Amino acid sequence: MEKILEIIKVIEAKKSEMEEYISNLSLHTRNDMLKDISQDIISNNPLLQEILGTEEKIVISEKEEESSVDHIINGYIAKIQQNPYKKVIFLREFLDLFQDRVSEKDKGVIIQSLKDEENNEKLRSEMISLATIFKLNL
């Protein structure tokens, strides 16, 4: 009986040591880890960089709080600003990121509503809204 009580005390002591060690660990939040992973993917993938319209690798500082969806939307806005006559093509590319969540008919309606938008901030807002509604996940 005494031996069992000693073993239980040792186990409790080890448990409290482990709890203290774990509580002192510095862990990133889930969102921070996902942001870091998505930025690594974007910065190391030439195809995504081409989609974003960048020629050099994307360098993300710790101060920057934008998510990968924001980066993609900003990339499309930049491409539209550089080549406004290809706006419909870029909007279609953006909508293709949603895969099967948006039907071709809906894509046509969305493009019709966005193609004449001249204000880039309003266009960005609409694209972010679309990404939220249709749950654009990368």
Side-chain angles (χ1 to χ4, degrees):
M1 215 36 163
E2 290 178 25
K3 189 121 175 140
I4 293 173
L5 289 175
E6 286 179 30
I7 293 173
I8 291 174
K9 286 180 183 178
V10 170
I11 290 173
E12 287 177 351
K14 290 287 184 183
K15 179 185 172 214
S16 64
E17 284 178 28
M18 286 178 31
E19 285 177 350
E20 184 179 334
Y21 176 76
I22 289 173
S23 67
N24 290 332
L25 285 176
S26 169
L27 299 176
H28 293 288
T29 64
R30 180 177 181 264
N31 287 339
D32 289 340
M33 288 179 12
L34 289 174
K35 191 181 300 182
D36 292 342
I37 291 169
S38 62
Q39 296 312 319
D40 286 343
I41 291 169
I42 290 172
S43 65
N44 294 324
N45 189 326
L47 179 63
L48 284 177
Q49 289 179 2
E50 184 178 318
I51 288 172
L52 293 173
T54 59
E55 282 122 27
E56 68 251 2
K57 290 194 172 194
I58 299 171
V59 178
I60 305 299
S61 68
E62 292 178 11
K63 296 176 185 175
E64 204 167 336
E65 293 294 325
E66 295 178 340
S67 70
S68 60
V69 173
D70 289 335
H71 285 291
I72 289 175
I73 290 172
N74 288 338
Y76 279 106
I77 295 293
K79 287 167 75 172
I80 289 170
Q81 287 173 338
Q82 290 173 353
N83 299 311
Y85 52 91
K86 293 183 179 181
K87 186 175 192 175
V88 173
I89 294 169
F90 297 137
L91 288 173
R92 180 153 305 275
E93 282 179 13
F94 173 71
L95 292 174
D96 286 342
L97 294 175
F98 295 101
Q99 300 167 356
D100 296 334
R101 287 174 275 210
V102 180
S103 69
E104 288 300 317
K105 193 180 238 183
D106 290 339
K107 287 179 185 177
V109 171
I110 293 169
I111 289 173
Q112 285 297 326
S113 69
L114 295 179
K115 75 176 184 175
D116 295 326
E117 182 60 56
E118 297 297 324
N119 183 346
N120 287 330
E121 286 305 314
K122 187 167 182 187
L123 180 61
R124 180 188 326 273
S125 169
E126 294 293 327
M127 291 171 82
I128 290 171
S129 175
L130 286 169
T132 303
I133 291 169
F134 292 107
K135 295 179 176 56
L136 177 60
N137 296 324
L138 302 174

